[in-house]
Structure formats: C-alpha cells, structure tokens
Amino acid sequence: MNTTSDKNHESLEGEVLSVIFQSEDSGFAVISLRDNNVAVTVAGELAPVARGEYLKLHGKWAEHAKFGKQFKVSWSEKTSPTTLKGLRTYLSSGAFEGVGPDMAKRIVDHFGDDTMKALEGGAKTLQAVDGIGPKRASTLADLFKEGRDRHRVMAELRGFGLNGSQSNKLYEMFSAEAINRINADPYALVIWVRGIGFKTADRIALEIGIGRDSAVRASGICVHLLNEAKSEGHCCLPEEKVINDLQSAGLSEQSIVEGIKSAIENGRVILEAAASDNGVPCFYLPDLLNAEISVAQNIKRLQNCDEHINVSFDDVESVIARTEFPPDESQRLALDMALEESLSVITGGPGTGKTTTMRLLLEVLHTVGVQKILLASPTGRAAKRLAEATGHEASTIHRLLKFEPISGRFSKNEDDPLEVDYLIIDEVSMMDLKLCASLLSAVPDNAKVLLVGDADQLPSVGAGAVLRDFVAAANVKTSRLARIHRQGKGSGIVDAAHAVLNGEVPETVTGESGNGDFFISYHDDGEQATDVLQKVITERIPDKYGIDIDEDLLVLSPMYRGALGVNDLNDRLSHALNPHGNGPVWARGLRVGDKVMVTRNDYDREIFNGDTGKVTAISDSEVTIEIGEYIHYYGAEELKDLIPAYCVTVHRAQGSEARAVVIALTNSHFPMLRRNLLYTAITRGKDLVVLITTKYALRQAVANNEESKRFGGLLARLDK
C-alpha cells in the first residue's frame, strides 16, 4: 500500500481485506485495508465496497474514542487490483453476481495480468476461457460493465461532494448517464435528489465550466427562486419579481430570456397570465399550480352537492336543550349553516365556541341517523385534541387518506374516494395547499364538508394560506364566531389573545388561585431575561402550579438565532433541565434525557412533524427515542429529522397546546414581531401563559398587523 500526506490532506491506496460494515443507503462503510501487511481501519462514505477491491482514499487520520486510530475518508476512488491473488479475490468478492472463486480463478489463470483489460474487452474475449460459453460470456461482460460503470459514476459523484445516498439515488435514476446528465444541467440536481440545494448545484456548475452568465444558470436560478418562495409559503411569484431577481444575480437579458424559456419548455416552471390574486402574470412550480386549480375546482364541485340532511327545527332544538352550554346567536347560525350547506367554514378565536359548535353538530348528525362521519386534523397532536374535545374518533388527514410511504401518494383520491357522508376537518389554518388538494379530491360528490379553524393564526408551514383564502372568498359560505365565552379558568389567556387581535397591548391578569392567568415580565437586559425565563421554568411553574414541565410545558421563541432565540434557549435549558445527559459527537448534540421534536412526517414509524419525545438511550450506532407509548430507533443519518425541543419556534408549535406556555419576545426578534405570531403563541396555553419581553418588542408585535404577504391565486380562482 502507498501512503502520501501533507499537513492538510492524506491519501492511502491498497486492498480491501474485509468489509466490517456498510450501508448503501447512507454510503457509510467501515473496512479493513492492507497497509504493509498490517490491517488498518478506514471509515467514511465508501459503499458499495467489496473485499478484494483496490481503493485510493483521501482524508486524514483521526483517533476514535472507542475504536482507536482510524483513517477518516473524505472521498475515494476505485483502482484495479495489482496482484493475481488480488484479482481473484476481487472478482469472487460478490461485486460481480455469478462469479465465484472457481470462475474467478479460471479467468485470472487465463488472462493473468491482462485480466482487467480482457474483462473490458467484452463477451467475445471472455469466451476464450474454458467453460464460458457465449451466453455466460455475455452475462459476465454486462455484469462487469455495470459494476465498472457504477464504480466510475459513484467515484465522480463523490468527487462532486455528494453523499452516498444522494449518489445512489442518481445512479438508480440514470445509471451510467448520471454524469452526462449533471454536466448538461447541474441545477436539475435540486429537483432530482432530496437534500441537494441550489448552493451545491451552483458550485458543481462552476466546477464543470458553466458560466455565471449563462442560460443554464438562469434556468436553475428561476427554479431556485420558486423553491425558496415555496419554503416561505408562497404558491407563485410575480413575473416582474423573478426577472428583477435574475438581473440582481448578474445575468444578462439574453441569458434570462433563454433560461426562462428553457425552464418552461422543460416543464419545471409555468407562467400563468393574470392568475394571481392581484391580477399579474406569475411563475408557478407545476405541482403548486395543479394543487391550486384542483382546490378551486373541488370546492365548486362539492358546493353543487344536492344531498340534504333530513333534519328538522325540532331535532336541533332537542339537542340544544340537552347541552350544558347553549349556543349563542353566532354559534346557532354556524350550526344551521353546517347542516344546510354542502361545504362551509367556521372560524373564530379561542373561547368563541368552535369546539362547542362541532359537538352540537355531531350530536345532531347522530340524532338524525347520519352514519358515515369522519373527523380529521393536519397533525397527530391536533387530531388527538379533536377526539378528546368531541368524544368522536379523529385521525390525521394523512392517515384518513391512507398515505403510502413508498410511492409518496395517497390511496384515497378521486378514483377511490372516502366512504363518508359528513367530513369535519379541524385546525384548517395548518393545512397547506397541496394537502388540501389531496383531501378535497378524495371527497365524494354526495358528502358534506365542514372546515374549522382560526383564520387569525399563523398560516400553514407549507405553501398557501388556505383557510385565510376560504374565509375571504365571497363564494365560500363562512361563519365567524366572535363572542367570547368565559368558562372559569383560562379567561386571562383568552382576554390577552383577543386584546392582541384588537391591536391592544395585553396586561397581566392574576387570579386568586394563580391558575388560568396571563403574566407579562418586562426585561430590557437579555441576560437577566434569560435568567428569569429559566427560573420561571425550573422553579415557579412546577412549584406553584404543580405542572409537569416535561409533559405540559411549551417554551416558544420567534427565531432560531440571537439572544433568547430557540438555539440559545435550547442549549441553556438542556443543561439546566438535563444536567447529567451525555451523548457522542455523531449524535448531533443530542444527549440521553433530552427532549426532542420530529421535524418531518415519518409514515413508516407513524410519527408526524411536531411530535415530541425523549432520548432514552444512545448506543454506538443509534439513538433510542420514546415518543408517546412507542420506542423508535434512529441511525446517524436519520437524526436530521429530530431537533432539541426544550424551546421551539411559534411556527413549530402550531397545532400544539400545553397547560403552561412561556414565550420569549425581545427586540432582537424584530423581523418576526407580528401580531398573528404573538396571537398564535398566546393561544397555545390552556392554564398559564408567561410572556418575557420588552415593552418595545411587545408594542411592536401588537402594532404590526402587516401579514407577510403570500403570493398565490387561490382566492381569485374561488371568486371566479
């Protein structure tokens, strides 16, 4: 084996003696490599790798706390074995299906040092070996070519800086053509492979010689702008804005025109004339345009349902007479609307009776014999709360539509619709455009639909402002509940929330028992504010209120960075609440005992974005997480789907509730000081809300009623 090194880079070259571990999904492997007849351990993104192969490895030596000295690989190249024994081992290693030790020996004995050249010569050359006929020779030649192509392509993809799973995905898609595809348009990587962003694609483009002012780059930036807009909640972008942004990127008019034309011809973007709510031409990603059109079409289809619920005035009055909390006028009007209309919307803030109205509706439906009633919410937490509040089984929308993880699609759709007579969806503010499109397309023509939510809350994390558009649409029947029903404890929180909605600065509300109150603690000094927040969480809440801070507390901040940001508070609270936790470096900072949150729907595990759990153990290769009543195991590559959850953003907390909520709101959060964000944060609390803030930050948040505009055309389509 040969070794070269400098102070910043080292390389090794030698034969693979054994494969200790490899994962073709992640690309990570641990192997034993021959070093002057001494086995050395090598770890890194090497897979697929086989015993007998010769590798040229680039990286550096490191000391592993448990396994000692290892060579950490940054990237690798495949080379040909240099000895006859090595050739025989390599060919029989399993890298080439159908070639065992006997066949490998015959091939190497026949061709000797020219074995690799002979294998590349194809089927006719291989027929010269005793016992290999035309059919076997053809099969072996194809297998060898595929293996060599894969090794070559994987090495080049690794050279671009792609990880093992990304490289495998591209090879599965394009085989030996993968490199040619990338050379033609590296920006398409963003579309092809999850986890590859624009910066990576742009770097690769420059490496392979694509100019900064080129049509290919203009096309890539156009798609990138729309993807970025999608992550910010937009369904489209005005044509003028896209062109201005392309010009700001240093692109010439010719490159912009040719790049946009190419993106349209390739079907990556669509330009819709006067499709948006403000009547200007907009660029769309195809999936969002299709979703927008689908939602509008299905709303109109369902509004034309001619099925009627056979319910009388006396039926409704009989149900109302039995209820503990009789409806007010707005609730009664909403109930009548929900019984009469094919599709309708109920909206209102906390304490206005949305849940009470749903319970009344369900009781009436059961009384008059409606059989197939389904309830759902966008998240597991919200579905659980809906079931508890109504006494009726509820599920997530994904489970309702029978999501298939492998295909990434729903089983229930327009071709196989839901079996339902009346469908109720709660927390619609959290439902994004694409999920709404999938849901409505699966509702049969004869079913009635009620959509319920608080339109004043933050819109969905995903693209669109579905509930807000429904409420604003003249053609969608909507009831807004406005009266606040004070029902014992919790009224201070409700008062504060509605004060914020009305543009008024809320005030501390104290009660005799100390429960159900809303507290504001003003602190201009950031360090002092953090100390107070920590004391409130670790001492005041558990001691005075008897609240379990592991199970019944949410700590919220508008932003990740800065003083009293999510990152800062997670670090501080993790050490305060879990002082003896420990974990290895590879676990992304997670320690045994840490509270974590899931950031992506995981349908195989049946856990969802926003679910929380606790780290119960960390082994050499996986982290054990307890979520609800179940135990889940996460490998190193999967930990990117988990974040510390001692503190989360307000957006992450949508759909959550807790007995106690502590909110950090400071001057450094200026970009996010908005009324609907503060309102959403306050309404997460059931028994206690503590707001730690400055007078300026609170006034600014209450005064700023400028909602971040989401570009889209759904409202315009609904009102056509």
Side-chain angles (χ1 to χ4, degrees):
M1 183 183 89
N2 300 317
T3 303
T4 63
S5 70
D6 61 38
K7 63 179 181 178
N8 296 317
H9 172 82
E10 298 173 278
S11 64
L12 305 178
E13 187 172 353
E15 178 189 356
V16 178
L17 295 176
S18 64
V19 179
I20 301 168
F21 168 83
Q22 70 172 312
S23 167
E24 293 196 19
D25 288 336
S26 67
F28 182 79
V30 180
I31 64 171
S32 178
L33 198 76
R34 186 189 301 279
D35 179 11
N36 295 324
N37 292 321
V38 175
V40 297
T41 302
V42 175
E45 292 187 352
L46 300 162
V49 63
R51 184 173 67 89
E53 286 185 309
Y54 270 63
L55 303 177
K56 185 173 184 180
L57 308 173
H58 304 266
K60 61 182 180 180
W61 288 99
E63 190 72 27
H64 190 281
K66 184 173 182 180
F67 301 110
K69 191 176 182 181
Q70 293 184 346
F71 189 77
K72 296 290 186 181
V73 177
S74 298
W75 62 285
S76 65
E77 302 173 75
K78 307 280 185 177
T79 61
S80 299
T82 56
T83 66
L84 296 182
K85 180 181 178 182
L87 283 167
R88 288 194 295 269
T89 303
Y90 173 48
L91 292 179
S92 62
S93 65
F96 305 100
E97 187 179 351
V99 179
D102 180 64
M103 178 64 70
K105 183 177 185 304
R106 274 188 279 156
I107 292 173
V108 174
D109 287 350
H110 185 90
F111 294 112
D113 291 336
D114 293 326
T115 295
M116 299 304 291
K117 183 178 179 181
L119 289 169
E120 291 172 352
K124 288 186 178 179
T125 305
L126 289 172
Q127 287 181 54
V129 178
D130 184 38
I132 298 181
K135 187 175 180 180
R136 187 92 183 263
S138 178
T139 300
L140 288 174
D142 289 343
L143 286 170
F144 182 78
K145 182 178 184 304
E146 198 280 334
R148 296 296 284 182
D149 284 346
R150 183 180 181 87
H151 294 164
R152 173 184 60 79
V153 171
M154 294 293 282
E156 290 194 53
L157 291 175
R158 297 286 180 79
F160 284 143
L162 305 186
N163 64 34
S165 59
Q166 293 167 343
S167 300
N168 279 324
K169 174 70 174 176
L170 284 167
Y171 191 82
E172 288 170 8
M173 291 175 68
F174 304 120
S175 300
E177 280 296 303
I179 301 301
N180 291 337
R181 293 279 191 137
I182 293 173
N183 286 331
D185 185 3
Y187 297 97
L189 284 167
V190 176
I191 299 170
W192 293 333
V193 182
R194 182 186 174 215
I196 296 180
F198 174 78
K199 287 185 178 180
T200 299
D202 203 35
R203 172 183 58 76
I204 292 172
L206 295 176
E207 288 177 1
I208 63 178
I210 293 176
R212 298 194 67 83
D213 181 20
S214 64
V216 172
R217 188 164 186 262
S219 177
I221 293 177
C222 182
V223 175
H224 168 64
L225 290 171
L226 291 174
N227 276 319
E228 286 289 290
K230 178 180 179 179
S231 69
E232 295 170 2
H234 301 293
C235 297
C236 59
L237 284 177
E239 180 185 29
E240 183 180 5
K241 175 174 173 52
V242 171
I243 291 174
N244 288 340
D245 287 348
L246 289 170
Q247 291 171 340
S248 298
L251 291 155
S252 64
E253 182 178 349
Q254 180 179 353
S255 294
I256 291 171
V257 171
E258 292 178 1
I260 289 175
K261 181 181 178 182
S262 173
I264 292 173
E265 289 177 348
N266 290 335
R268 292 177 187 167
V269 304
I270 298 172
L271 180 60
E272 281 270 293
S276 70
D277 294 339
N278 56 5
V280 300
C282 287
F283 285 105
Y284 280 84
L285 294 172
D287 61 336
L288 289 178
L289 177 61
N290 292 336
E292 201 171 85
I293 293 171
S294 174
V295 169
Q297 289 177 341
N298 279 299
I299 287 288
K300 292 173 183 178
R301 171 180 66 85
L302 294 169
Q303 285 174 330
N304 292 327
C305 169
D306 55 6
E307 294 288 328
H308 296 284
I309 298 174
N310 187 20
V311 57
S312 67
F313 176 82
D314 289 340
D315 291 327
V316 177
E317 287 297 308
S318 175
V319 169
I320 291 174
R322 298 194 301 268
T323 188
E324 182 180 358
F325 302 108
D328 63 27
E329 183 180 357
S330 66
Q331 290 172 326
R332 178 58 194 268
L333 289 172
L335 176 61
D336 291 340
M337 175 196 69
L339 290 168
E340 293 169 6
E341 299 294 334
S342 301
L343 183 141
S344 57
V345 176
I346 294 177
T347 189
T352 56
K354 297 188 299 296
T355 301
T356 297
T357 306
M358 280 193 286
R359 281 200 296 257
L360 284 171
L361 173 63
L362 287 167
E363 186 63 28
V364 172
L365 294 176
H366 288 305
T367 298
V368 299
V370 177
Q371 297 295 316
K372 298 175 183 176
I373 304 170
L374 296 176
L375 277 68
S377 289
T379 69
R381 293 161 296 155
K384 183 179 179 181
R385 287 207 335 267
L386 179 60
E388 291 170 350
T390 62
H392 192 289
E393 183 181 349
S395 73
T396 63
I397 296 173
H398 281 79
R399 186 169 295 171
L400 182 75
L401 299 180
K402 297 184 179 179
F403 184 79
E404 296 178 338
I406 296 176
S407 67
R409 297 179 180 179
F410 294 106
S411 293
K412 292 296 179 181
N413 49 44
E414 59 270 24
D415 298 322
D416 183 16
L418 296 165
E419 294 181 8
V420 60
D421 297 319
Y422 204 112
L423 175 66
I424 300 174
I425 304 296
D426 193 21
E427 295 285 4
V428 177
S429 63
M430 299 173 61
M431 183 166 63
D432 63 34
L433 181 70
K434 291 181 68 175
L435 183 57
C436 184
S438 296
L439 174 70
L440 295 180
S441 66
V443 180
D445 292 342
N446 62 346
K448 290 184 179 294
V449 179
L450 174 65
L451 305 172
V452 183
D454 187 346
D456 293 313
Q457 286 189 19
L458 289 170
S460 58
V461 175
V466 171
L467 179 59
R468 207 174 286 171
D469 288 341
F470 287 165
V471 171
N475 294 331
V476 177
K477 295 292 184 180
T478 300
S479 285
R480 182 180 283 274
L481 307 180
R483 180 181 168 188
I484 302 172
H485 296 262
R486 300 170 190 254
Q487 296 171 1
K489 63 180 182 179
S491 61
I493 297 171
V494 173
D495 282 349
H498 285 274
V500 170
L501 272 188
N502 294 329
E504 302 167 1
V505 175
E507 297 179 355
T508 291
V509 179
T510 57
E512 293 180 5
S513 66
N515 288 329
D517 294 334
F518 175 82
F519 294 90
I520 303 176
S521 183
Y522 292 109
H523 301 279
D524 288 324
D525 181 82
E527 188 62 32
Q528 184 187 52
T530 307
D531 288 340
V532 170
L533 181 142
Q534 181 174 322
K535 187 173 182 179
V536 165
I537 292 169
T538 59
E539 299 177 21
R540 295 281 292 171
I541 290 177
D543 293 347
K544 184 174 181 179
Y545 293 88
I547 291 175
D548 184 340
I549 59 175
D550 283 336
E551 300 293 332
D552 295 315
L553 172 71
L554 269 175
V555 182
L556 306 178
S557 179
M559 297 173 63
Y560 281 98
R561 297 180 180 176
L564 286 172
V566 169
N567 295 338
D568 214 25
L569 291 177
N570 263 320
D571 184 59
R572 181 147 179 170
L573 292 174
S574 69
H575 288 90
L577 299 174
N578 185 26
H580 305 298
N582 60 80
V585 175
W586 66 263
R588 293 176 176 255
L590 293 182
R591 303 174 305 143
V592 174
D594 275 348
K595 185 178 181 180
V596 294
M597 176 178 281
V598 179
T599 62
R600 184 176 67 89
N601 290 342
D602 187 334
Y603 305 102
D604 290 329
R605 292 186 173 97
E606 292 195 350
I607 56 178
F608 301 93
N609 184 5
D611 284 346
T612 56
K614 178 177 281 190
V615 179
T616 57
I618 303 179
S619 69
D620 294 334
S621 59
E622 61 187 12
V623 176
T624 305
I625 311 289
E626 184 177 339
I627 301 175
E629 300 175 355
Y630 298 95
I631 300 296
H632 302 278
Y633 302 95
Y634 281 76
E637 288 294 316
E638 299 174 300
L639 292 181
K640 62 182 179 295
D641 296 332
L642 299 172
I643 59 172
Y646 295 101
C647 177
V648 297
T649 63
V650 181
H651 284 85
R652 288 276 182 207
Q654 280 182 278
S656 295
E657 277 189 353
R659 286 188 61 196
V661 170
V662 178
I663 306 165
L665 199 70
T666 73
N667 298 358
S668 64
H669 299 151
F670 183 82
M672 299 297 289
L673 297 179
R674 299 194 188 105
R675 186 181 297 178
N676 63 349
L677 183 139
L678 177 58
Y679 171 78
T680 302
I682 291 172
T683 55
R684 301 308 90 203
K686 294 191 292 184
D687 295 340
L688 173 68
V689 171
V690 179
L691 175 58
I692 296 173
T693 184
T694 67
K695 290 184 177 180
Y696 170 80
L698 182 55
R699 286 198 303 268
Q700 179 65 25
V702 170
N704 184 7
N705 198 29
E706 292 294 322
E707 298 173 357
S708 51
K709 170 66 178 175
R710 290 195 167 189
F711 294 111
L714 178 60
L715 180 57
R717 296 180 200 279
L718 291 171
D719 281 341
K720 280 184 180 178

